[in-house]
Amino acid sequence: MENLADKKKAILESTLELIKENGFHGTPMSLVAKQAGVAAGTIYHYFDSKDTLICQLFQYLRNQLLAVVRNSDVPGKPYQERFYDLWKSLCSFYTGNPNVLVFFEQFINSPYNKKRLEAGPDPFHQLIFSFLEEGVESGYLRPVNPEILGVLLHGSIVSTAKTYKFGNVQLGEADLEQIRQILWDGMAAKKNC
Amino acid sequence: MENLADKKKAILESTLELIKENGFHGTPMSLVAKQAGVAAGTIYHYFDSKDTLICQLFQYLRNQLLAVVRNSDVPGKPYQERFYDLWKSLCSFYTGNPNVLVFFEQFINSPYNKKRLEAGPDPFHQLIFSFLEEGVESGYLRPVNPEILGVLLHGSIVSTAKTYKFGNVQLGEADLEQIRQILWDGMAAKKNC
DNA sequence: GCAAACCGAATGAATATTCAATTAACAAAC
DNA sequence: GTTTGTTAATTGAATATTCATTCGGTTTGC
């Protein structure tokens, strides 16, 4: 899965790049071909249609995201640190790959996503969910539906990454730390209040 | 600004509807015309091009959002209640108008948004910012850059609204209450911890 | 009567997709 | 080591479709 054929990978990366630049529409196959350094016909050797190209691009990037999350988790550490690590690694993945974030947002709010939702929960979602569930059961997090905690966690990361890259305001490391802290303080079980 | 010509309004609303259904692309002018009950040429009487139609639709909806926020704020109330009201009104606007949420997300992550960002901060953003600034200065909220608080506030609302409508999980009123509570607990100044 | 609103078929440019032909990859046979 | 055969990869011009936009003419409001 990692060492995709060079051409196929080039096509996927070019599509990502162009969608960031020109938007979801306004990215003709001819441009994808040119940017990837292949002929138009070659794309159709690897992908049935533009639609499947876009859907497979989503899968491809989603797997990268999953790998990032998996690698960031060190089971031995205390829960709060693992929480911080998770937040940080996700956030830095998005800020380091802003075109991925843009593509995700476009994809998820497009009709393409309908089919995906009908296909059931994806591994990324499940991973986050079970991590939060563990936190609740161990008493580190408030006794709240982990789905809700996931909403807050993910929302804060996406929002932060967007502001970081696109906003007029520049957020520094200290700011990111604060956001993480505020989120934790809200979600953590209150011991002495 | 409120009583737009009937036809113009119909065109805007149809565009919104179709973009939710068929996505940003895949929404031809011919369909917009049919759905709005006008001729294709009529659209060009009101809008220079498809691009300006989409940009004006964004402005149109952004003004509605602004009005919702303005109406929800009752200056006499205690700050925490105003905070809750703001959160609730924004969230229910999005859950009640899911196509607006989808459109916003599409628009903001598209190249159209570049021009908008270059045009400076918009009134909606400013309103939220000053509300949070007031909270910080009055000592109700943590002494943190209001921009950061805004990120968290907006992220939690968007994420919640998306889950509410599109997620596999159904969130009830009690769940929304909890999310609001968690957010407040994170953002509020710590009095006794 | 006049100006603005409106119509919708016609136009022309853009573009997703196809396909017949060419080239590379590579293994088996000699 | 060369030939040969076979399959997969690649090309890019041609096709058919789609779609934004135009414009000459018609209707409506005043």
Side-chain angles (χ1 to χ4, degrees), chain B residues 63-77:
Chain B
N63 285 338
Q64 289 187 4
L65 192 69
L66 190 60
V68 165
V69 175
R70 287 230 171 91
N71 288 339
S72 84
D73 198 13
V74 182
K77 281 190 182 180

Side-chain angles (χ1 to χ4, degrees), chain A residues 105-106 109 142 163 185 193, chain B residues 105-106 109 142 185 193:
Chain A
E105 293 288 299
Q106 297 244 19
N109 292 288
R142 287 187 180 205
T163 306
D185 286 354
C193 287
Chain B
E105 294 288 299
Q106 296 244 19
N109 292 287
R142 287 186 181 205
D185 285 354
C193 286

Side-chain angles (χ1 to χ4, degrees), chain A residues 83 125 128-130 132-133 136 141-156 183 186-187, chain B residues 87 152 155-161 163-164 167-183:
Chain A
F83 183 88
H125 186 267
I128 301 287
F129 183 86
S130 66
L132 293 170
E133 201 174 30
V136 171
L141 298 178
R142 287 187 180 205
V144 169
N145 181 355
E147 202 70 46
I148 291 177
L149 299 177
V151 165
L152 284 164
L153 174 61
H154 189 252
S156 75
L183 187 69
M187 286 171 58
Chain B
W87 196 95
L152 284 164
S156 75
I157 291 168
V158 167
S159 247
T160 302
T163 306
Y164 187 82
N168 315 16
V169 195
Q170 283 303 326
L171 301 178
E173 267 304 317
D175 295 319
L176 300 187
E177 190 100 17
Q178 270 185 325
I179 294 176
R180 225 158 59 225
Q181 188 63 48
I182 289 173
L183 187 68

